[in-house]
Amino acid sequence: MCMVAATTFAIRVLTRTQKAPNPEIQVRVRQLHSAVIYSDDVVDAHHLFDDTYERDSHGFNSLLFQYTRENQRWEALNLYTHIHRSGLPINGSTLSCVLKTCGALSHRSMGKQVHSVCVKSGFQGDVSVGTSLVDMYMKIENVVDGMRVFELMGDKNVVSWTSLLCGYTKNGMNDRAVALFRRMLGMGVEPNAFTFATILGALRADGAFIVERGTQVHGLVIKNGLNSNTTVGNSLINMYFKVGKSGSARAIFDSMDEKNSVTWNGMVSGYISSGCDSEALEIFSQMRAEGVSLTQGTFASTIKLCGNIRNLSFVRQLHGRLLKCGFEFGDGIKTALLVSYCKCNDMDSAVTGFFMMHGDRDVISWTALITGYLQNGRGDRAVDLFRQMYTEGVSPNSFTYSVILTAHPFVSPSVVHAQVIKTSHDRLSTVGTALLDTYFKQGNPDAATKVFDSILEKDIVSWSAVLAGYAQIGDSGRAIKVFIKLGREGSTRPNEYTFSSIINACARPASGAEQGKQLHGCSIKAGFSYALVVSSALVTMYAKRGNIENANKVFQRQRERDSISWNSMISGYAQHGDGKKALEIFEEMRSQNVPMDAVTFIGVITACTHAGLVVEGEMYFNMMVEDHNIKPMDEHYSCMVDLYSRAGMLKKAMEVIRGMPFPAGVTSWLSILAGCRAHRNLELGKVAAERLTSLQPDNSAAYVLLSNIYAALGNWNERRRVRRMMDERNVKKEAGLSWIEVKHKIHIFLAGDVSHPLTDQIYMKLDQLQSRLRDIGYRPDTNHVLHDVEEEHKEAILSQHSERLALAFGLISTTPEVPLHIMKNLRVCGDCHNVFKIVSEIEGRDIVVRDSNRFHHFKGGFCSCGDYW
DNA sequence: ATAGGGTTAG
């Protein structure tokens, strides 16, 4: 400290602490202060001073008070040691000051020592000393002693209560804080502004009652007449943002008479963290208009804001203003700028800024730049930088590892795994979550599960990630188990992402419909059913489970919608072959100016395909390219190929394939081949089959479809040749598998299956159906039999198809009003399709069949697909 | 000042 500053300081000491400065003391304090500053040994300086002058505790204690105020902690501690050792008189203020310092420095041994001095000197009973002790213990994370001192205090005032309260929140004990607050109110202690600020901060968004509690506390604030207090108002704003009620935060803000920079910053950053970028921008402009001076904090949040809204010119403007204002350009601001440039996809500026940081480049700015490259789709550059950072001697931290693990396919999870084990980051929930997600994406669910189990404190993100992983691989069984375990452990509550993942896992074909409904119920109870990610997942789940009515109900009840909600509903109707409804939803989406993306058009064109709306399909494809500037992807072209193929317009379909900017993939050729099968086009069928077998030699579909064409044309020799080819190349036809859920249990059937306990009854029912069908003139379409056998045998084969066994079982094990839901892993057989139509009429049953391709709703002798499939 | 999980498709 320079001379000028030292003098200023001494003068401040005297003018603040003494009403009528004693000139003698004035001199002493000044000399003492100089001695403290210029001597290497502070204690010696005090002694020197002590020997020369008469002892005067007032001077010392004033100085201690000042040191404490100015956060000169070590000076304060040394001075106290001196006062104590030299036996100078000590008062309550002395003790409070030194206790505060012990807390701030987390000096445990000194804190204990001062506590015993408090007891010996009898000052423990003093309210302010007692309160300081509580505060000190809570700050050194010794909660037990803090509570003990508090309970032993005879006199307590609002500050004592608030100190303990504050201590609880600092130690993460929010439930205790809430309980203490209640107890305090029960004792009739009137909270002050600081109490309210503390309790409002304790209400973290981790419980279901958070909103209620927050609102109750708000009521008390009003009752206590503190609603116009700026500090309390600021806390209320933060609390409301935290619980997701930005409207209430805004109301508080509007009602505040006196706003300070904390208020404004709270609004800007609150809106930003709630994703309300335009509102944040509005507050920012209002702030500028009212001439509120910008603080460093404002700059930090505003820079973040303009990154979030991807407004590059705004970033540049702020950058320029910062340079002009001559603000202290701290690392924080520099990194914030770097992040914003990355978000605006201006990697050149980001890199320039980064390299201008020279010596200031730390792990944070490195990580920010790596993240930037990943966001810009340059995983390769990100990995290069990660290595470079290493060679420059900067060690990655947990953030860096979390980020770099998302750089698939450029990182190998096992390599990074070894590294994080070495650096002891592996059991952190953040790193562990990124790691397990990478293992899942790499197709290694067992490694992912192991990582999940090894995470020490699993937070809700880890739980949701593992559920999402099981959903990706379609393992609804493990997903449900984990979800139940999460509920039992009770340490973290599921959030909207958790529900979206588990619902998604149960949208898979292999899971029961009941589970989906139960999860819907759970999400309502937990209060998340209206969250966008949850309701969209529900729409998809119901649609995939065959319940398109419920899907639509959820969709209609959505409080807010984004492109994904609309896309989900359109795709749902498309899968069910309800082209009309799908197009209605699409037109409604268009009239509401909801932005459309590539997936929207996949849904719409698929809907046209399933409904045979060729002209409409063409129109939407053109609309996508011309009106929405969406570049068609492989998926769009294969949708068009499918549209034409199903309609028998194979020439047109081939034109699409030829016109595609890239070679057609498996999906397109499969559509062609299926079209050739339906429309008996052998020549093109051969070409398609050849392409398919060269693209995917072990895909059985190509062989099966080709042999079907030969079978349909009665060319049994060629058909046998194809079968032999399959055997030679060791290609196995996927076994047909159907299943049905009855009373929460799933029953699975193979063709000709005799393993079910009710086999006898099932086959009896089948025989009975068969004769009734024959009576009304049904003749089996033996074209669908792939084997070269006698006609009679063919009929037998048809009547034992897996979907028919499932149907018979469904009919005998449920009452007539129950609609049957049957699933099949392959496409439903054409003859079975006819049978299902008739059965729906003669048995008076609604039957829904989901095959590998779409849904069929059988009712009163007709199918929703109109036999177009 | 930097981080991890989620919803739509055939």
Side-chain angles (χ1 to χ4, degrees), chain A residues 399 429-430 459 497 533 564 567 571 635:
Chain A
F399 285 65
S429 69
T430 49
D459 62 11
Y497 297 128
V533 289
I564 292 175
N567 291 354
S571 303
E635 285 89 338

Short mmCIF file of all heavy atoms in Angstrom, two decimals, chain A residues 399 429-430 459 497 533 564 567 571 635, chain B:
data_model
loop_
_atom_site.label_atom_id
_atom_site.label_comp_id
_atom_site.label_asym_id
_atom_site.label_seq_id
_atom_site.Cartn_x
_atom_site.Cartn_y
_atom_site.Cartn_z
N PHE A 399 -15.13 -29.82 -16.75
CA PHE A 399 -15.89 -29.21 -17.85
C PHE A 399 -15.33 -29.66 -19.19
O PHE A 399 -16.05 -30.05 -20.10
CB PHE A 399 -15.82 -27.68 -17.78
CG PHE A 399 -16.66 -27.07 -16.71
CD1 PHE A 399 -16.41 -27.29 -15.37
CD2 PHE A 399 -17.73 -26.25 -17.04
CE1 PHE A 399 -17.20 -26.73 -14.39
CE2 PHE A 399 -18.53 -25.68 -16.06
CZ PHE A 399 -18.26 -25.91 -14.74
N SER A 429 -20.72 -36.67 -11.48
CA SER A 429 -21.94 -36.92 -12.26
C SER A 429 -21.85 -36.28 -13.66
O SER A 429 -22.29 -36.87 -14.64
CB SER A 429 -23.16 -36.40 -11.53
OG SER A 429 -23.15 -35.01 -11.48
N THR A 430 -21.25 -35.11 -13.76
CA THR A 430 -21.20 -34.45 -15.07
C THR A 430 -20.36 -35.26 -16.07
O THR A 430 -20.81 -35.56 -17.17
CB THR A 430 -20.57 -33.06 -14.95
OG1 THR A 430 -19.37 -33.17 -14.21
CG2 THR A 430 -21.51 -32.09 -14.28
N ASP A 459 -27.04 -37.19 -10.14
CA ASP A 459 -28.07 -36.16 -10.15
C ASP A 459 -29.10 -36.51 -11.21
O ASP A 459 -29.00 -37.54 -11.88
CB ASP A 459 -27.47 -34.76 -10.34
CG ASP A 459 -26.76 -34.61 -11.66
OD1 ASP A 459 -26.89 -35.52 -12.51
OD2 ASP A 459 -26.06 -33.61 -11.85
N TYR A 497 -37.30 -33.80 -18.42
CA TYR A 497 -36.46 -34.59 -19.31
C TYR A 497 -36.51 -36.06 -18.93
O TYR A 497 -36.47 -36.95 -19.78
CB TYR A 497 -35.02 -34.09 -19.29
CG TYR A 497 -34.91 -32.67 -19.79
CD1 TYR A 497 -34.26 -31.70 -19.05
CD2 TYR A 497 -35.49 -32.31 -21.00
CE1 TYR A 497 -34.17 -30.40 -19.51
CE2 TYR A 497 -35.41 -31.02 -21.46
CZ TYR A 497 -34.75 -30.07 -20.72
OH TYR A 497 -34.67 -28.79 -21.18
N VAL A 533 -41.51 -30.99 -23.75
CA VAL A 533 -40.83 -32.24 -24.11
C VAL A 533 -41.65 -33.46 -23.70
O VAL A 533 -41.60 -34.50 -24.34
CB VAL A 533 -39.42 -32.33 -23.49
CG1 VAL A 533 -38.48 -31.38 -24.15
CG2 VAL A 533 -39.45 -32.12 -22.00
N ILE A 564 -41.74 -29.38 -33.07
CA ILE A 564 -41.69 -30.81 -32.76
C ILE A 564 -43.08 -31.34 -32.39
O ILE A 564 -43.47 -32.43 -32.81
CB ILE A 564 -40.64 -31.09 -31.68
CG1 ILE A 564 -39.26 -30.82 -32.26
CG2 ILE A 564 -40.75 -32.51 -31.15
CD1 ILE A 564 -38.13 -30.93 -31.30
N ASN A 567 -44.90 -31.71 -35.63
CA ASN A 567 -44.32 -32.81 -36.38
C ASN A 567 -44.76 -34.16 -35.81
O ASN A 567 -45.06 -35.10 -36.56
CB ASN A 567 -42.79 -32.76 -36.33
CG ASN A 567 -42.24 -31.59 -37.11
OD1 ASN A 567 -42.98 -30.87 -37.77
ND2 ASN A 567 -40.94 -31.37 -37.01
N SER A 571 -46.70 -36.92 -38.01
CA SER A 571 -46.11 -38.24 -38.22
C SER A 571 -47.02 -39.33 -37.66
O SER A 571 -47.11 -40.42 -38.22
CB SER A 571 -44.75 -38.33 -37.55
OG SER A 571 -43.91 -37.33 -38.04
N GLU A 635 -33.65 -38.82 -46.87
CA GLU A 635 -34.96 -39.28 -46.41
C GLU A 635 -36.10 -38.78 -47.28
O GLU A 635 -37.06 -39.49 -47.55
CB GLU A 635 -35.20 -38.81 -44.97
CG GLU A 635 -34.41 -39.57 -43.92
CD GLU A 635 -33.04 -38.97 -43.67
OE1 GLU A 635 -32.52 -38.25 -44.56
OE2 GLU A 635 -32.49 -39.23 -42.59
P DA B 1 -19.75 -14.67 -14.44
OP1 DA B 1 -21.11 -15.03 -14.33
OP2 DA B 1 -18.82 -14.53 -13.38
"O5'" DA B 1 -19.10 -15.58 -15.58
"C5'" DA B 1 -19.56 -15.41 -16.92
"C4'" DA B 1 -18.55 -16.06 -17.82
"O4'" DA B 1 -17.26 -15.74 -17.31
"C3'" DA B 1 -18.60 -17.59 -17.78
"O3'" DA B 1 -19.48 -18.04 -18.79
"C2'" DA B 1 -17.16 -17.94 -18.13
"C1'" DA B 1 -16.36 -16.75 -17.66
N9 DA B 1 -15.55 -17.02 -16.47
C8 DA B 1 -15.97 -17.22 -15.20
N7 DA B 1 -14.98 -17.43 -14.36
C5 DA B 1 -13.84 -17.38 -15.17
C6 DA B 1 -12.48 -17.52 -14.90
N6 DA B 1 -12.00 -17.78 -13.67
N1 DA B 1 -11.62 -17.41 -15.94
C2 DA B 1 -12.12 -17.15 -17.15
N3 DA B 1 -13.37 -16.99 -17.53
C4 DA B 1 -14.18 -17.11 -16.47
P DT B 2 -20.22 -19.38 -18.53
OP1 DT B 2 -21.36 -19.36 -19.43
OP2 DT B 2 -20.40 -19.59 -17.07
"O5'" DT B 2 -19.17 -20.47 -19.02
"C5'" DT B 2 -18.72 -20.44 -20.39
"C4'" DT B 2 -17.84 -21.64 -20.65
"O4'" DT B 2 -16.72 -21.61 -19.75
"C3'" DT B 2 -18.50 -22.97 -20.36
"O3'" DT B 2 -19.20 -23.38 -21.52
"C2'" DT B 2 -17.32 -23.88 -20.08
"C1'" DT B 2 -16.29 -22.93 -19.48
N1 DT B 2 -16.11 -23.04 -18.01
C2 DT B 2 -15.09 -23.82 -17.54
O2 DT B 2 -14.33 -24.42 -18.30
N3 DT B 2 -15.00 -23.90 -16.18
C4 DT B 2 -15.80 -23.28 -15.26
O4 DT B 2 -15.61 -23.42 -14.07
C5 DT B 2 -16.86 -22.46 -15.82
C7 DT B 2 -17.79 -21.73 -14.89
C6 DT B 2 -16.95 -22.39 -17.15
P DA B 3 -20.64 -23.97 -21.36
OP1 DA B 3 -21.15 -24.08 -22.72
OP2 DA B 3 -21.39 -23.22 -20.33
"O5'" DA B 3 -20.35 -25.42 -20.80
"C5'" DA B 3 -19.55 -26.33 -21.57
"C4'" DA B 3 -19.63 -27.69 -20.96
"O4'" DA B 3 -19.23 -27.64 -19.58
"C3'" DA B 3 -21.04 -28.28 -20.91
"O3'" DA B 3 -21.28 -28.95 -22.13
"C2'" DA B 3 -20.91 -29.29 -19.76
"C1'" DA B 3 -19.80 -28.72 -18.90
N9 DA B 3 -20.27 -28.21 -17.62
C8 DA B 3 -21.01 -27.09 -17.40
N7 DA B 3 -21.27 -26.88 -16.14
C5 DA B 3 -20.66 -27.94 -15.50
C6 DA B 3 -20.58 -28.32 -14.15
N6 DA B 3 -21.12 -27.62 -13.15
N1 DA B 3 -19.90 -29.44 -13.84
C2 DA B 3 -19.36 -30.15 -14.84
N3 DA B 3 -19.36 -29.90 -16.14
C4 DA B 3 -20.05 -28.77 -16.41
P DG B 4 -22.72 -29.42 -22.43
OP1 DG B 4 -22.74 -29.66 -23.86
OP2 DG B 4 -23.68 -28.48 -21.83
"O5'" DG B 4 -22.84 -30.80 -21.67
"C5'" DG B 4 -22.02 -31.91 -22.05
"C4'" DG B 4 -22.38 -33.10 -21.21
"O4'" DG B 4 -22.18 -32.80 -19.82
"C3'" DG B 4 -23.85 -33.50 -21.30
"O3'" DG B 4 -24.04 -34.37 -22.42
"C2'" DG B 4 -24.03 -34.26 -19.99
"C1'" DG B 4 -23.09 -33.53 -19.03
N9 DG B 4 -23.76 -32.60 -18.15
C8 DG B 4 -24.12 -31.31 -18.43
N7 DG B 4 -24.73 -30.72 -17.43
C5 DG B 4 -24.77 -31.69 -16.44
C6 DG B 4 -25.32 -31.65 -15.13
O6 DG B 4 -25.89 -30.71 -14.57
N1 DG B 4 -25.15 -32.86 -14.47
C2 DG B 4 -24.54 -33.96 -14.99
N2 DG B 4 -24.47 -35.03 -14.22
N3 DG B 4 -24.02 -34.01 -16.21
C4 DG B 4 -24.18 -32.85 -16.88
P DG B 5 -25.21 -34.13 -23.39
OP1 DG B 5 -24.94 -34.90 -24.60
OP2 DG B 5 -25.49 -32.68 -23.46
"O5'" DG B 5 -26.41 -34.80 -22.61
"C5'" DG B 5 -26.42 -36.22 -22.43
"C4'" DG B 5 -27.69 -36.60 -21.74
"O4'" DG B 5 -27.83 -35.85 -20.53
"C3'" DG B 5 -28.97 -36.29 -22.53
"O3'" DG B 5 -29.26 -37.40 -23.37
"C2'" DG B 5 -30.01 -36.21 -21.40
"C1'" DG B 5 -29.20 -35.66 -20.24
N9 DG B 5 -29.40 -34.24 -20.02
C8 DG B 5 -28.74 -33.20 -20.61
N7 DG B 5 -29.14 -32.04 -20.21
C5 DG B 5 -30.15 -32.33 -19.29
C6 DG B 5 -30.97 -31.47 -18.51
O6 DG B 5 -30.97 -30.24 -18.49
N1 DG B 5 -31.85 -32.19 -17.71
C2 DG B 5 -31.93 -33.56 -17.67
N2 DG B 5 -32.83 -34.07 -16.84
N3 DG B 5 -31.17 -34.36 -18.37
C4 DG B 5 -30.30 -33.69 -19.16
P DG B 6 -29.84 -37.12 -24.82
OP1 DG B 6 -29.94 -38.43 -25.48
OP2 DG B 6 -29.11 -36.00 -25.43
"O5'" DG B 6 -31.29 -36.62 -24.48
"C5'" DG B 6 -32.19 -37.49 -23.79
"C4'" DG B 6 -33.56 -36.87 -23.83
"O4'" DG B 6 -33.53 -35.59 -23.21
"C3'" DG B 6 -34.07 -36.58 -25.24
"O3'" DG B 6 -34.65 -37.76 -25.78
"C2'" DG B 6 -35.13 -35.52 -24.95
"C1'" DG B 6 -34.51 -34.75 -23.80
N9 DG B 6 -33.84 -33.53 -24.24
C8 DG B 6 -32.54 -33.38 -24.63
N7 DG B 6 -32.26 -32.15 -24.97
C5 DG B 6 -33.45 -31.47 -24.80
C6 DG B 6 -33.78 -30.11 -25.01
O6 DG B 6 -33.04 -29.21 -25.41
N1 DG B 6 -35.10 -29.85 -24.71
C2 DG B 6 -36.01 -30.77 -24.27
N2 DG B 6 -37.25 -30.35 -24.02
N3 DG B 6 -35.72 -32.04 -24.06
C4 DG B 6 -34.43 -32.32 -24.36
P DT B 7 -34.79 -37.86 -27.32
OP1 DT B 7 -34.93 -39.29 -27.62
OP2 DT B 7 -33.76 -37.05 -27.96
"O5'" DT B 7 -36.19 -37.16 -27.57
"C5'" DT B 7 -37.35 -37.62 -26.88
"C4'" DT B 7 -38.52 -36.78 -27.30
"O4'" DT B 7 -38.29 -35.42 -26.91
"C3'" DT B 7 -38.70 -36.71 -28.80
"O3'" DT B 7 -39.52 -37.79 -29.20
"C2'" DT B 7 -39.40 -35.38 -29.00
"C1'" DT B 7 -38.94 -34.54 -27.81
N1 DT B 7 -37.98 -33.47 -28.17
C2 DT B 7 -38.46 -32.20 -28.31
O2 DT B 7 -39.63 -31.92 -28.15
N3 DT B 7 -37.52 -31.27 -28.64
C4 DT B 7 -36.17 -31.48 -28.84
O4 DT B 7 -35.44 -30.56 -29.13
C5 DT B 7 -35.73 -32.85 -28.68
C7 DT B 7 -34.28 -33.17 -28.86
C6 DT B 7 -36.64 -33.76 -28.34
P DT B 8 -39.02 -38.72 -30.34
OP1 DT B 8 -39.81 -39.94 -30.28
OP2 DT B 8 -37.55 -38.75 -30.37
"O5'" DT B 8 -39.51 -37.88 -31.59
"C5'" DT B 8 -40.88 -37.50 -31.68
"C4'" DT B 8 -41.11 -36.78 -32.97
"O4'" DT B 8 -40.33 -35.58 -32.97
"C3'" DT B 8 -40.61 -37.54 -34.18
"O3'" DT B 8 -41.64 -38.37 -34.65
"C2'" DT B 8 -40.31 -36.42 -35.18
"C1'" DT B 8 -40.01 -35.22 -34.29
N1 DT B 8 -38.58 -34.82 -34.32
C2 DT B 8 -38.26 -33.66 -34.96
O2 DT B 8 -39.09 -32.96 -35.50
N3 DT B 8 -36.92 -33.35 -34.96
C4 DT B 8 -35.91 -34.08 -34.37
O4 DT B 8 -34.76 -33.70 -34.43
C5 DT B 8 -36.32 -35.30 -33.70
C7 DT B 8 -35.30 -36.15 -33.03
C6 DT B 8 -37.61 -35.60 -33.70
P DA B 9 -41.29 -39.75 -35.32
OP1 DA B 9 -42.57 -40.37 -35.67
OP2 DA B 9 -40.26 -40.47 -34.54
"O5'" DA B 9 -40.57 -39.19 -36.62
"C5'" DA B 9 -41.36 -38.58 -37.64
"C4'" DA B 9 -40.88 -39.08 -38.97
"O4'" DA B 9 -39.52 -38.61 -39.16
"C3'" DA B 9 -40.80 -40.60 -39.07
"O3'" DA B 9 -41.12 -40.97 -40.38
"C2'" DA B 9 -39.37 -40.90 -38.77
"C1'" DA B 9 -38.67 -39.71 -39.36
N9 DA B 9 -37.41 -39.41 -38.69
C8 DA B 9 -37.15 -39.34 -37.36
N7 DA B 9 -35.91 -39.06 -37.07
C5 DA B 9 -35.31 -38.95 -38.32
C6 DA B 9 -34.00 -38.67 -38.72
N6 DA B 9 -33.01 -38.45 -37.86
N1 DA B 9 -33.73 -38.64 -40.03
C2 DA B 9 -34.73 -38.87 -40.89
N3 DA B 9 -36.00 -39.13 -40.65
C4 DA B 9 -36.23 -39.16 -39.33
P DG B 10 -42.23 -42.08 -40.47
OP1 DG B 10 -43.41 -41.34 -40.91
OP2 DG B 10 -42.25 -42.88 -39.23
"O5'" DG B 10 -41.74 -43.02 -41.64
"C5'" DG B 10 -41.41 -42.44 -42.90
"C4'" DG B 10 -40.37 -43.31 -43.55
"O4'" DG B 10 -39.11 -43.14 -42.86
"C3'" DG B 10 -40.69 -44.81 -43.48
"O3'" DG B 10 -40.38 -45.41 -44.72
"C2'" DG B 10 -39.78 -45.34 -42.39
"C1'" DG B 10 -38.58 -44.42 -42.52
N9 DG B 10 -37.78 -44.27 -41.32
C8 DG B 10 -38.13 -44.54 -40.03
N7 DG B 10 -37.17 -44.30 -39.16
C5 DG B 10 -36.13 -43.83 -39.95
C6 DG B 10 -34.83 -43.40 -39.60
O6 DG B 10 -34.31 -43.35 -38.49
N1 DG B 10 -34.09 -43.01 -40.71
C2 DG B 10 -34.56 -43.03 -42.01
N2 DG B 10 -33.72 -42.64 -42.94
N3 DG B 10 -35.77 -43.42 -42.34
C4 DG B 10 -36.50 -43.81 -41.28
#
